[in-house]
Amino acid sequence: MALPLVFLFLVGWWLDYSELPHKADVIVVLGGYEVSRPLYGAELFRDGYAPEVWVSRVRVRESLRLLRGLGIEVLNEDEIAVEVLKKKGVPAASIRRYGNGAISTIEVGLSLAAELGPGQKNILVVTSRYHARRARLILRGVLKGRAVTVVASPYEGFSRYWWRDQDLAKAAILEICKTAFYFLGGRFVSNA
């Protein structure tokens, strides 16, 4: 009985991760329908942490394609991020979209590596607290030779007692599986 309880606590501790923000060449807001990420990215921009905010173009999910086929216009997650950034005061000229239909954190990192210029060595990445540790692991591996700092948005609720909240429990379980998959050598990369 004690072992499962220890596991629950350890997962909560492992997921509770963020680094402190510092000045960077670019802020990268990772995808996901978490509006908290671009909200924090805009705050970091306004506070002068970097002169640009980058947003990855992510795959349009099949449910959005179906809705668009019905004439119902729904923004994709990267389009939502750009709109949030603009509404929170980031000038359009300071927002850069990159990549083409990323389906995973590793693909976001590969796209980012291909588009970063030689002078862009310090990258400040914004994501969710539960995703920050795995994002750091992946992006530091892909973006070798660059300083990658991963910060968690404070606008998103988190608890080490993740099993008490349905949304956080889903995210925690999925994050555990994705991390195990990554450590076992698994990589999701689209054919695009």
Side-chain angles (χ1 to χ4, degrees), residues 33 58-61 64 68 74-80:
Y33 281 105
V58 296
R59 174 190 65 180
V60 177
R61 298 188 187 276
L64 261 63
R68 289 174 176 176
V74 180
L75 296 178
N76 198 25
E77 60 192 76
D78 55 301
E79 296 165 329
I80 292 171

Side-chain angles (χ1 to χ4, degrees), residues 21-109:
H22 63 81
K23 298 270 186 192
D25 298 312
V26 296
I27 296 167
V28 175
V29 175
L30 292 186
Y33 281 105
E34 304 297 343
V35 176
S36 67
R37 296 174 185 181
L39 282 173
Y40 192 42
E43 181 180 316
L44 292 168
F45 174 84
R46 285 191 318 270
D47 289 346
Y49 281 94
E52 292 182 318
V53 181
W54 288 26
V55 176
S56 174
R57 287 184 188 90
V58 296
R59 174 190 65 180
V60 177
R61 298 188 187 276
E62 188 58 32
S63 58
L64 261 63
R65 288 186 205 284
L66 293 171
L67 288 170
R68 289 174 176 176
L70 294 171
I72 301 170
E73 192 54 41
V74 180
L75 296 178
N76 198 25
E77 60 192 76
D78 55 301
E79 296 165 329
I80 292 171
V82 168
E83 290 304 311
V84 169
L85 290 167
K86 288 178 186 175
K87 292 281 186 194
K88 295 304 285 181
V90 180
S94 296
I95 300 170
R96 177 167 174 187
R97 294 177 68 202
Y98 70 96
N100 186 26
I103 64 168
S104 65
T105 305
I106 194 144
E107 194 165 38
V108 165

Side-chain angles (χ1 to χ4, degrees), residues 148-168:
V148 178
T149 302
V150 181
V151 297
S153 173
Y155 297 109
E156 194 172 320
F158 180 82
S159 169
R160 287 187 177 176
Y161 305 105
W162 54 271
W163 59 90
R164 295 180 179 173
D165 178 89
Q166 185 179 27
D167 291 333
L168 193 51

Side-chain angles (χ1 to χ4, degrees), residues 120-150:
Q120 295 167 314
K121 299 282 187 198
N122 295 304
I123 316 302
L124 182 58
V125 178
V126 180
T127 190
S128 301
R129 184 165 293 278
Y130 62 82
H131 180 240
R133 191 178 301 270
R134 183 172 60 89
R136 177 180 178 259
L137 220 128
I138 292 170
L139 295 175
R140 284 194 175 171
V142 173
L143 299 170
K144 291 190 186 310
R146 299 181 194 276
V148 178
T149 302
V150 181

